[in-house]
Amino acid sequence: MMRTRPLKVALLGCGVVGSEVARIMATHSKDLAARIGAPVELAGVAVRRPGRVREGIAPELITTDAAALAGRGDIDVAIEVIGGIEPARTLINTAFENGAGVVTANKALLAEDGPALHEAAEKHGVDLYYEAAAAAAIPLVRPLRESLAGDKVNRVLGIVNGTTNFILDRMESTGAGYAEALEEATALGYAEADPTADVEGFDAAAKAAILAGIAFHTRVRLDDVHREGLTEVTAADIASARRMGCTVKLLAICERAADGRSVTARVHPAMIPLTHPLASVREAYNAVFVEAEAAGQLMFYGPGAGGAPTASAVLGDLVAACRNRLTGARGPGESAYAQLPVSPMGEVVTRYHLSLDVADKPGVLAQCATVFAEHGVSIDTVRQQGKEGSEEGASLVVVTHRAPDAALTATVEALRGLDTVRGVASIMRVEGE
Amino acid sequence: MMRTRPLKVALLGCGVVGSEVARIMATHSKDLAARIGAPVELAGVAVRRPGRVREGIAPELITTDAAALAGRGDIDVAIEVIGGIEPARTLINTAFENGAGVVTANKALLAEDGPALHEAAEKHGVDLYYEAAAAAAIPLVRPLRESLAGDKVNRVLGIVNGTTNFILDRMESTGAGYAEALEEATALGYAEADPTADVEGFDAAAKAAILAGIAFHTRVRLDDVHREGLTEVTAADIASARRMGCTVKLLAICERAADGRSVTARVHPAMIPLTHPLASVREAYNAVFVEAEAAGQLMFYGPGAGGAPTASAVLGDLVAACRNRLTGARGPGESAYAQLPVSPMGEVVTRYHLSLDVADKPGVLAQCATVFAEHGVSIDTVRQQGKEGSEEGASLVVVTHRAPDAALTATVEALRGLDTVRGVASIMRVEGE
């Protein structure tokens, strides 16, 4: 049954992920051939720095001309693991135009330009696979677009960025502040020299856009995702969370509205109960809950980043794309038929934990409670306490019932206008209850 | 793009799962059509009791002649949710012979006769999908045979039977004995009137066979799976586990041997540390760990049984089979190229917790320790304690280091031959460390 002419793979990028892809292709070539039904070989590897020694890759395969490699007519599947928007986008389109299927791990590009990429793949009759763009080796894209294809997904909620989870885990377990925990993450290689994409939530937001798009059969772009990073999370927030029986996680949350007519996607730090399975996700691990009408609540857990786990997902997609190549089939394309509107953050309904610095005099609580009531935000619990290190002030910790985000924003604005409120020390959403 | 002639589906069986499949097909027909690219309609529903009222199913679709329905030439996909070996096997083969793809939830049949079914599907050029046969809606089959197709799976370890997990959870949380917990499970509908398939581990063993086969690209039959149920687990075992910082779970464990040349598959109760994520899987939930070379450790969690979750998996497969039907493609077939031998239980290497009733006199510990040493089983910890309710005896609780199961069996036999050993109160493997 085995075809002997090998399938040809162009590897675009040979960094942490690409070098693992090349290594596994070399060491597991027999297994890959048996699973695909034909041998598969590297036809070329596009790199930026050709001088570097690359173990296991024949030097004659190395090229700095990625465009020429992607444009070769004999490539069956191109693997794009360069990342970022350009030149990745142009290279992927070049591969499509030359009849190659594409496997990519590029979350930023998919979140920015996924629909156009899907259209180009469709036009040229080739595959576009991107399991590695969601949470590395944790199967999420395939379960959402295939396993749950007969179900109705109502919510995707998870930890999809390992760097920020590592930082929050350290803040939680050692009491360290954000800066100190970031320093440790950088020293241990969990955070990049420029950690912006992770700590400001861009990486998680791109994944949220991809997952929401697949889950809701709707186009969701990065700009549609409300995004807050964790740079403002303080040791005090984490201590407050602990007092509530909660911990703080940076969550990506994609939800179908209760009436089913719209969806939302957001990334922000949130308190979740310690009893919630996401609360025990440690270090740089990722975990994602998927709630579907018939399936109920599913959870997927694993390493959400790293060279080898990302390569595992890339190679799973490579096997699928190669099998399709042999049989003339195509994998599932874009499914955006539902075209649900993506609502702004103001329409998200959730709960809040607020910490207010107030004057320590009678009537303050009543005054604040009135502001909440006027904005239709119902209070669940309130705790008044003397403020540490101050004889004059007090602190008011309020947890609300579920309310629209816009109502909460207006409430906070009005609270800030009160003479007796000296400041809003923190606002954090409470999820997973 | 949408084809207007509908794809025709034969539903073989209309019990708990089948009726959910029919309900979702009726209520979500537009979504299914959009995702498939063509409308899909029920062409007939084979039932045993035609008199029963079946909400949402047109009476003229109901038939008691399942063979005639499966044998109709116009069926695109047959869904088999009858369960058991016959008539399910004959009906599936009839469907194949008549050119229909098949989606089944039948773990018993797949574990007994999977290779023959795969061959028949292959011969007739049609699909065989069975995600629902592993753990209902929890995606396991697709992740293992597609997402991890480029990786090397070394171990699958999990809780794959909800009934037994419910029973053990109740024993753990209430201190109840097995009989009492089973009674509660039956009353609440978690256990069937005849609970044999669940409590004796047959259901879990069938799933282990299916998962091991896919994970290791090797044919694994039900007979290859070592199987012990939980009927012998006592409240005392659970109390012992607790003293060790463990809990007791019925685990399915599929492992590649350290040298990579053979595999094992087994189902038995085992102690696992309370810190292990599987320890916190409550009630009738399922959770499965998959360890792969590149991906690392992944976990999949969710409801592993029930009408709606099983229907979700069936419908995901239905969408895949229908898409293939439209494009003339086929899903992945059997992958058994590795043909690794399945080793017997005696070659499994793991740790053990033993509780011995011994005479309370000097030298007993030394005598027992000698027996362990003679069989090459190294002791990790031993605890000697006066036996409750007896002034004459004592109890010796031994936890071993890792050793082959055969060595342990021989050790226990030899211990039973000692005058000073009055009985072996319990033997349990310790996993997940």
Side-chain angles (χ1 to χ4, degrees), chain B residues 242-256:
Chain B
R242 180 59 73 162
R243 276 194 295 273
M244 278 183 64
C246 286
T247 187
V248 176
K249 295 290 185 187
L250 186 75
L251 299 181
I253 306 176
C254 313
E255 282 174 321
R256 193 187 290 275

mmCIF file of all heavy atoms in Angstrom, chain B residues 242-256:
data_model
loop_
_atom_site.group_PDB
_atom_site.id
_atom_site.type_symbol
_atom_site.label_atom_id
_atom_site.label_comp_id
_atom_site.label_asym_id
_atom_site.label_seq_id
_atom_site.Cartn_x
_atom_site.Cartn_y
_atom_site.Cartn_z
ATOM 1 N N ARG B 242 -5.766 6.509 52.270
ATOM 2 C CA ARG B 242 -5.799 7.851 52.852
ATOM 3 C C ARG B 242 -4.591 8.068 53.772
ATOM 4 O O ARG B 242 -3.980 9.134 53.765
ATOM 5 C CB ARG B 242 -7.133 8.017 53.608
ATOM 6 C CG ARG B 242 -7.343 9.344 54.267
ATOM 7 C CD ARG B 242 -7.303 10.514 53.306
ATOM 8 N NE ARG B 242 -8.496 10.582 52.463
ATOM 9 C CZ ARG B 242 -8.867 11.660 51.793
ATOM 10 N NH1 ARG B 242 -8.155 12.780 51.862
ATOM 11 N NH2 ARG B 242 -9.940 11.638 51.016
ATOM 12 N N ARG B 243 -4.241 7.034 54.552
ATOM 13 C CA ARG B 243 -3.081 7.175 55.452
ATOM 14 C C ARG B 243 -1.792 7.390 54.669
ATOM 15 O O ARG B 243 -0.840 7.970 55.175
ATOM 16 C CB ARG B 243 -2.947 5.931 56.345
ATOM 17 C CG ARG B 243 -3.820 5.986 57.586
ATOM 18 C CD ARG B 243 -3.412 4.925 58.608
ATOM 19 N NE ARG B 243 -3.638 3.573 58.118
ATOM 20 C CZ ARG B 243 -4.791 2.910 58.227
ATOM 21 N NH1 ARG B 243 -5.823 3.472 58.837
ATOM 22 N NH2 ARG B 243 -4.918 1.706 57.741
ATOM 23 N N MET B 244 -1.771 6.885 53.412
ATOM 24 C CA MET B 244 -0.591 7.075 52.567
ATOM 25 C C MET B 244 -0.654 8.363 51.753
ATOM 26 O O MET B 244 0.179 8.603 50.881
ATOM 27 C CB MET B 244 -0.495 5.938 51.539
ATOM 28 C CG MET B 244 0.129 4.682 52.048
ATOM 29 S SD MET B 244 0.208 3.533 50.643
ATOM 30 C CE MET B 244 1.327 4.385 49.515
ATOM 31 N N GLY B 245 -1.718 9.172 51.970
ATOM 32 C CA GLY B 245 -1.884 10.379 51.154
ATOM 33 C C GLY B 245 -2.383 10.048 49.761
ATOM 34 O O GLY B 245 -2.073 10.736 48.786
ATOM 35 N N CYS B 246 -3.142 8.944 49.670
ATOM 36 C CA CYS B 246 -3.629 8.481 48.363
ATOM 37 C C CYS B 246 -5.142 8.319 48.376
ATOM 38 O O CYS B 246 -5.785 8.385 49.411
ATOM 39 C CB CYS B 246 -3.013 7.120 48.033
ATOM 40 S SG CYS B 246 -1.281 7.169 47.560
ATOM 41 N N THR B 247 -5.701 8.083 47.207
ATOM 42 C CA THR B 247 -7.085 7.654 47.092
ATOM 43 C C THR B 247 -7.115 6.466 46.133
ATOM 44 O O THR B 247 -6.114 6.186 45.471
ATOM 45 C CB THR B 247 -8.013 8.788 46.628
ATOM 46 O OG1 THR B 247 -9.365 8.343 46.694
ATOM 47 C CG2 THR B 247 -7.716 9.201 45.192
ATOM 48 N N VAL B 248 -8.259 5.755 46.106
ATOM 49 C CA VAL B 248 -8.356 4.570 45.243
ATOM 50 C C VAL B 248 -9.214 4.896 44.019
ATOM 51 O O VAL B 248 -10.306 5.453 44.151
ATOM 52 C CB VAL B 248 -8.978 3.386 46.021
ATOM 53 C CG1 VAL B 248 -9.179 2.195 45.092
ATOM 54 C CG2 VAL B 248 -8.083 3.001 47.191
ATOM 55 N N LYS B 249 -8.704 4.597 42.844
ATOM 56 C CA LYS B 249 -9.449 4.779 41.588
ATOM 57 C C LYS B 249 -9.341 3.510 40.756
ATOM 58 O O LYS B 249 -8.327 2.801 40.837
ATOM 59 C CB LYS B 249 -8.850 5.955 40.794
ATOM 60 C CG LYS B 249 -9.002 7.327 41.474
ATOM 61 C CD LYS B 249 -10.442 7.784 41.468
ATOM 62 C CE LYS B 249 -10.624 9.190 42.029
ATOM 63 N NZ LYS B 249 -12.072 9.531 42.148
ATOM 64 N N LEU B 250 -10.375 3.248 39.965
ATOM 65 C CA LEU B 250 -10.276 2.147 39.009
ATOM 66 C C LEU B 250 -9.634 2.732 37.748
ATOM 67 O O LEU B 250 -10.230 3.572 37.076
ATOM 68 C CB LEU B 250 -11.651 1.560 38.678
ATOM 69 C CG LEU B 250 -11.586 0.312 37.782
ATOM 70 C CD1 LEU B 250 -11.124 -0.909 38.577
ATOM 71 C CD2 LEU B 250 -12.934 0.008 37.130
ATOM 72 N N LEU B 251 -8.419 2.290 37.454
ATOM 73 C CA LEU B 251 -7.672 2.900 36.358
ATOM 74 C C LEU B 251 -7.551 1.970 35.160
ATOM 75 O O LEU B 251 -7.433 0.749 35.307
ATOM 76 C CB LEU B 251 -6.259 3.271 36.827
ATOM 77 C CG LEU B 251 -6.162 4.289 37.964
ATOM 78 C CD1 LEU B 251 -4.691 4.563 38.294
ATOM 79 C CD2 LEU B 251 -6.865 5.588 37.589
ATOM 80 N N ALA B 252 -7.582 2.570 33.989
ATOM 81 C CA ALA B 252 -7.190 1.873 32.763
ATOM 82 C C ALA B 252 -5.808 2.402 32.414
ATOM 83 O O ALA B 252 -5.603 3.621 32.352
ATOM 84 C CB ALA B 252 -8.172 2.178 31.638
ATOM 85 N N ILE B 253 -4.845 1.497 32.233
ATOM 86 C CA ILE B 253 -3.461 1.911 32.005
ATOM 87 C C ILE B 253 -2.908 1.165 30.797
ATOM 88 O O ILE B 253 -2.863 -0.066 30.772
ATOM 89 C CB ILE B 253 -2.581 1.621 33.234
ATOM 90 C CG1 ILE B 253 -3.205 2.252 34.493
ATOM 91 C CG2 ILE B 253 -1.159 2.148 33.022
ATOM 92 C CD1 ILE B 253 -2.462 1.934 35.777
ATOM 93 N N CYS B 254 -2.520 1.912 29.780
ATOM 94 C CA CYS B 254 -1.926 1.333 28.576
ATOM 95 C C CYS B 254 -0.515 1.896 28.491
ATOM 96 O O CYS B 254 -0.346 3.108 28.450
ATOM 97 C CB CYS B 254 -2.704 1.746 27.331
ATOM 98 S SG CYS B 254 -4.496 1.556 27.502
ATOM 99 N N GLU B 255 0.478 1.008 28.482
ATOM 100 C CA GLU B 255 1.861 1.495 28.528
ATOM 101 C C GLU B 255 2.739 0.826 27.483
ATOM 102 O O GLU B 255 2.593 -0.367 27.193
ATOM 103 C CB GLU B 255 2.482 1.200 29.903
ATOM 104 C CG GLU B 255 2.045 2.139 30.984
ATOM 105 C CD GLU B 255 2.577 1.728 32.354
ATOM 106 O OE1 GLU B 255 2.603 0.518 32.646
ATOM 107 O OE2 GLU B 255 2.957 2.625 33.116
ATOM 108 N N ARG B 256 3.651 1.614 26.967
ATOM 109 C CA ARG B 256 4.720 1.081 26.146
ATOM 110 C C ARG B 256 5.827 0.672 27.112
ATOM 111 O O ARG B 256 6.141 1.421 28.045
ATOM 112 C CB ARG B 256 5.200 2.215 25.226
ATOM 113 C CG ARG B 256 6.096 1.812 24.089
ATOM 114 C CD ARG B 256 6.612 3.062 23.376
ATOM 115 N NE ARG B 256 5.600 3.783 22.624
ATOM 116 C CZ ARG B 256 5.239 3.498 21.376
ATOM 117 N NH1 ARG B 256 5.810 2.492 20.748
ATOM 118 N NH2 ARG B 256 4.308 4.200 20.755
#
